[in-house]
Amino acid sequence: QQQVKQSPQSLIVQKGGISIINCAYENTAFDYFPWYQQFPGKGPALLIAIRPDVSEKKEGRFTISFNKSAKQFSLHIMDSQPGDSATYFCAASGDTDKLIFGTGTRLQVFP
Amino acid sequence: DSGVTQTPKHLITATGQRVTLRCSPRSGDLSVYWYQQSLDQGLQFLIQYYNGEERAKGNILERFSAQQFPDLHSELNLSSLELGDSALYFCASSRDPHQPQHFGDGTRLSIL
């Protein structure tokens, strides 16, 4: 199964709150899980990525949590800011480099 | 700025026509990937080239073709265009296979 399922489709968070986006996959051959941020009119920008040998990776306000047994991974955005308002995509890849993307989550952070 | 350059930014053409989209990868990157983003299909991998050779193929239509030139820039050719080909086409590049992919800002193709 090549799908990556992403939820929720949209998310509204108050400034300073925590934004959480979840993804699930079926293919156990996947070994690279990046998150991309996309603003209107721009290409996806790599935010943070994780490989299955660790359960968590943190970069600034962004954290990936990875659960290998459940085949799930999530993005946490701490202290969410209006400037974080964008569409977020999870993705996965395995022995081939092609990224299989989730369907995206539109995040809106209100002041 | 990702360092990946795509031209043109916008392209408007008619059904049945042929277009060429161009991508210049980041300096030093040998791998180029093409993706299509549409409202109904999301972001879909089309094809990958590494150092001039095709490395992987996704859901790329037979009417579409690509190549990577000796200077590492890549072109995606779309022919016999249909209304359903209207989409954003992104190019990404990476240093080597299995390295992070960095995306350009895309070419918006509109078929009238």
Side-chain angles (χ1 to χ4, degrees):
Chain A
Q1 268 287 8
Q2 290 292 310
Q3 275 187 328
V4 176
K5 294 182 180 178
Q6 183 172 347
S7 63
Q9 192 171 356
S10 63
L11 185 59
I12 299 174
V13 172
Q14 199 92 20
K15 179 183 173 182
I18 302 173
S19 304
I20 302 174
I21 305 170
N22 301 299
C23 285
Y25 64 97
E26 289 294 325
N27 189 343
T28 55
F30 288 153
D31 62 1
Y32 176 66
F33 303 89
W35 284 89
Y36 282 85
Q37 178 190 57
Q38 186 177 25
F39 292 105
K42 294 291 188 181
L46 181 63
L47 203 54
I48 187 172
I50 199 168
R51 294 195 185 270
D53 51 346
V54 296
S55 60
E56 187 174 282
K57 183 173 181 180
K58 185 175 180 180
E59 289 184 4
R61 296 185 294 110
F62 300 93
T63 301
I64 298 179
S65 296
F66 184 81
N67 186 329
K68 189 173 180 179
S69 60
K71 292 185 282 188
Q72 294 175 348
F73 59 110
S74 59
L75 176 69
H76 292 63
I77 306 174
M78 312 299 286
D79 187 27
S80 299
Q81 299 296 312
D84 297 330
S85 297
T87 300
Y88 292 81
F89 292 93
C90 62
S93 68
D95 53 346
T96 68
D97 298 320
K98 65 178 185 180
L99 289 171
I100 307 298
F101 282 91
T103 48
T105 296
R106 188 182 173 205
L107 171 66
Q108 294 174 274
V109 181
F110 285 96
Chain B
D1 183 10
S2 68
V4 178
T5 304
Q6 289 188 248
T7 57
K9 289 191 187 307
H10 302 278
L11 203 47
I12 302 174
T13 188
T15 55
Q17 296 298 305
R18 172 188 169 94
V19 297
T20 297
L21 313 183
R22 183 187 168 103
C23 169
S24 293
R26 294 187 318 163
S27 177
D29 284 1
L30 299 178
S31 230
V32 168
Y33 311 76
W34 286 97
Y35 291 85
Q36 180 193 58
Q37 185 175 39
S38 62
L39 282 173
D40 55 342
Q41 295 289 324
L43 266 163
Q44 299 271 320
F45 169 78
L46 294 177
I47 196 163
Q48 176 198 3
Y49 280 82
Y50 175 69
N51 206 18
E53 300 288 326
E54 183 184 303
R55 180 177 165 87
K57 222 167 183 175
N59 299 322
I60 188 167
L61 300 171
E62 285 191 12
R63 300 184 284 109
F64 296 1
S65 65
Q67 54 184 326
Q68 186 180 26
F69 294 86
D71 67 353
L72 301 176
H73 91 271
S74 178
E75 292 180 357
L76 179 67
N77 300 295
L78 315 177
S79 62
S80 302
L81 287 168
E82 301 175 359
L83 292 176
D85 297 328
S86 295
L88 275 164
Y89 291 85
F90 288 105
C91 169
S93 73
S94 66
R95 190 80 43 184
D96 295 303
H98 303 301
Q99 294 297 310
Q101 296 178 30
H102 299 272
F103 284 71
D105 285 338
T107 293
R108 181 176 293 278
L109 176 62
S110 298
I111 313 300
L112 302 180

